[in-house]
Amino acid sequence: MAEAKKRGVRKTRTGTVISKSGSKSVVVLVERRYPHPIYKKVLKKQAKCHAHDESNEVQKGDRVKIVETKPVSKLKKWRVVEVLGKKSE
């Protein structure tokens, strides 16, 4: 608990792997839905996050949970924590 306070709270996101960009690297599509503040229509926004996959087990189409981390490379600032679901074929 003390270590988490010192380091701060890290952002976590859930998304779908849309590509494997090299060894131990994946691109995750994170989608969020929110109501428009005035019109209340539900809007959808997407963001691509480059993430580090240390175990190199994630495949395209898998649902994963990623957490913010210190920069691993120029684009990779996220790390794959767990695989929530494998791609169903």
Side-chain angles (χ1 to χ4, degrees):
M1 185 76 167
E3 188 177 319
K5 279 188 174 182
K6 182 173 65 173
R7 210 172 19 192
V9 179
R10 296 179 178 194
K11 296 175 190 170
T12 60
R13 302 284 185 263
T14 303
T16 307
V17 177
I18 56 172
S19 98
K20 285 196 56 85
S21 54
S23 178
K24 298 188 179 182
S25 299
V26 292
V27 180
V28 181
L29 184 70
V30 177
E31 185 177 278
R32 69 183 192 101
R33 295 168 182 258
Y34 63 97
H36 187 277
I38 297 172
Y39 303 113
K40 306 303 181 208
K41 178 182 178 178
V42 177
L43 302 174
K44 188 170 27 170
K45 280 211 172 182
Q46 297 176 337
K48 288 183 189 175
C49 300
H50 295 259
H52 182 70
D53 177 25
E54 185 60 40
S55 60
N56 207 14
E57 66 180 18
V58 179
Q59 298 298 321
K60 185 176 177 181
D62 293 352
R63 295 275 302 160
V64 293
K65 184 178 194 179
I66 57 176
V67 66
E68 191 176 37
T69 186
K70 66 180 184 177
V72 179
S73 67
K74 179 181 176 183
L75 295 175
K76 290 197 294 186
K77 292 166 181 63
W78 296 85
R79 179 171 38 94
V80 175
V81 178
E82 65 178 304
V83 179
L84 301 173
K86 289 287 188 183
K87 177 184 175 184
S88 58
E89 295 185 43

